[in-house]
Amino acid sequence: MLGLQLLRGAVKHAGRRPQYRGEQFTSATRSVSSSSQQLPAFGKTQCSSCSGTECPKVLITGGLGQLGVGLAHLLRKRLGKNNVILSDIRKPPTHVYNDGPFIFSDILDYKNLRETVVNNNISWLVHYSAVLSAVGESNVALAKEVNITGLHNILDIATEHELRVFVPSTIGAFGPSSPRDPTPELCVQRPRTIYGVSKVHAELMGEYYHHRYGLDFRCLRYPGIISADTRPGGGTTDYAVQIFHAAVKTGHFECNLRSDTRLPMMYIDDCLRATLEILEAPADLLVSRTYNINAMSFTPHELTQEIQKVLPNIRVTYNVDPVRQAIADSWPMALEDSTARRDWGWKHLYDLPELVQTMLTHITKGHQLAQAN
């Protein structure tokens, strides 16, 4: 709810939609970030996107979320510290501020966003600003403004300045009429949340801009993303992060989904690596502009059983949230991702046992350090 509270206090902007054919663009934007982050332990490698000493300049919106900070950390190792700029509408933690360039940028302030792109010579734009599923259902107007109006600003600016733009999508882009196990890349979608509707809109608008204007649009449908440093951000899959913290700190967790609710999940390192790979993939390899990516699928009960192999005394009870449960019941149980594996070599590294061991190790060390201080 932190992002929601910040947005309610933000200054409202107004403007008209941008038009092409020589008219000057004006509009408005605002960003929402989805909480804390985990910095992945990737080594420095040669960037295939750098030609000689010239590397892409990257702007990440909604940059204070788990994915924004993690991707910035990874990209800075490949492109150089000053070539990756995080942006958001709130003050960053000190360690994030010291890690590399950060600027205030509101995705609903079209003029500010456009100036940021021009003044910093941006060539890649990663758009993470979004209102997530559960929060979106409690404030539809906010979700429409951020997820749809903000997206339009991103696409128009990216088109005008010939940027490569990455916009994540989600399992929430599917609905109850979609095949669920597994969900193919191309099928009926028809989601029943404003979050899902806005993501289908993003996929289609991005593909339209690609075909109509030549925009280099790239999109991945993320499963639920799990990170040891994540705080709840209003997502339906939050339980799969919260349970690990509860297991280490209290030994008891109350789950807000049914024990048999199967959803696709992915460890953050796999997610960030997939994002880097799709960003750097040669355009001629991309048969599609929107890809499914998959790693593992599990239920709260199966996750609990795996955690109990390490912490046998954890106790899990269930107090089902009907709103989140209804959302989860309309989402895929698994994503079919053979196209990504074929076109640009996608391959996940973390399955459920590796996920549990990694999460518990990271959280236990963090908990011990906190107690020592």
Side-chain angles (χ1 to χ4, degrees), residues 81-373:
K81 178 177 178 178
N82 293 323
N83 286 326
V84 181
I85 301 173
L86 280 177
S87 69
D88 214 308
I89 59 168
R90 59 189 175 96
K91 183 180 178 180
T94 301
H95 73 277
V96 174
Y97 190 81
N98 292 334
D99 196 45
F102 176 89
I103 59 174
F104 175 93
S105 185
D106 182 339
I107 64 160
L108 291 178
D109 183 345
Y110 186 89
K111 183 175 182 291
N112 168 258
L113 185 62
R114 191 171 181 232
E115 287 175 348
T116 297
V117 166
V118 172
N119 291 343
N120 292 282
N121 194 29
I122 298 299
S123 47
W124 291 4
L125 204 164
V126 177
H127 179 50
Y128 275 136
S129 298
V131 175
L132 300 181
S133 55
V135 173
E137 291 307 288
S138 67
N139 194 333
V140 173
L142 176 65
K144 287 194 301 181
E145 189 174 20
V146 173
N147 296 4
I148 295 177
T149 302
L151 170 81
H152 291 179
N153 295 334
I154 292 293
L155 294 179
D156 288 330
I157 290 170
T159 300
E160 181 190 16
H161 297 287
E162 299 181 343
L163 309 184
R164 178 174 299 182
V165 60
F166 174 81
V167 178
S169 189
T170 167
I171 53 174
F174 298 101
S177 56
S178 306
R180 297 189 66 209
D181 193 16
T183 301
E185 206 157 83
L186 296 176
C187 65
V188 173
Q189 293 184 251
R190 303 186 71 83
R192 291 185 177 175
T193 65
I194 187 59
Y195 176 59
V197 168
S198 70
K199 287 302 184 181
V200 174
H201 179 80
E203 294 175 12
L204 295 177
M205 287 294 291
E207 291 183 17
Y208 173 76
Y209 272 55
H210 171 68
H211 293 295
R212 178 68 174 83
Y213 302 112
L215 175 65
D216 189 356
F217 172 82
R218 302 172 184 219
C219 178
L220 296 177
R221 293 191 186 113
Y222 288 158
I225 305 303
I226 299 175
S227 164
D229 294 328
T230 305
R231 298 171 190 163
T236 301
T237 58
D238 281 349
Y239 90 87
V241 174
Q242 295 166 329
I243 189 173
F244 288 103
H245 290 277
V248 171
K249 294 178 182 178
T250 67
H252 171 251
F253 177 66
E254 184 176 88
C255 184
N256 55 25
L257 297 180
R258 288 194 320 268
S259 64
D260 63 347
T261 305
R262 183 173 301 279
L263 291 169
M265 302 284 186
M266 180 176 288
Y267 184 55
I268 190 171
D269 282 14
D270 274 342
C271 176
L272 294 174
R273 183 169 50 82
T275 304
L276 175 65
E277 288 173 2
I278 192 70
L279 273 169
E280 293 192 336
D284 59 2
L285 294 182
L286 303 180
V287 174
S288 176
R289 288 286 150 174
T290 300
Y291 287 92
N292 287 351
I293 54 170
N294 197 54
M296 68 196 91
S297 294
F298 53 76
T299 67
H301 178 67
E302 290 168 347
L303 178 57
T304 299
Q305 287 183 316
E306 193 66 34
I307 294 172
Q308 286 173 335
K309 293 178 182 178
V310 182
L311 299 174
N313 294 327
I314 182 176
R315 183 171 62 93
V316 176
T317 56
Y318 294 89
N319 182 15
V320 175
D321 177 346
V323 173
R324 293 188 190 227
Q325 187 64 54
I327 293 171
D329 288 343
S330 72
W331 283 359
M333 297 180 184
L335 294 173
E336 203 286 313
D337 64 351
S338 60
T339 306
R341 293 174 187 268
R342 179 197 68 203
D343 288 359
W344 44 276
W346 160 243
K347 182 179 180 182
H348 74 280
L349 299 180
Y350 289 83
D351 286 305
L352 183 56
E354 293 81 13
L355 169 73
V356 168
Q357 289 289 342
T358 302
M359 289 288 289
L360 289 178
T361 298
H362 188 99
I363 292 171
T364 299
K365 286 181 179 178
H367 186 57
Q368 290 170 345
L369 287 173
Q371 287 183 321
N373 293 330

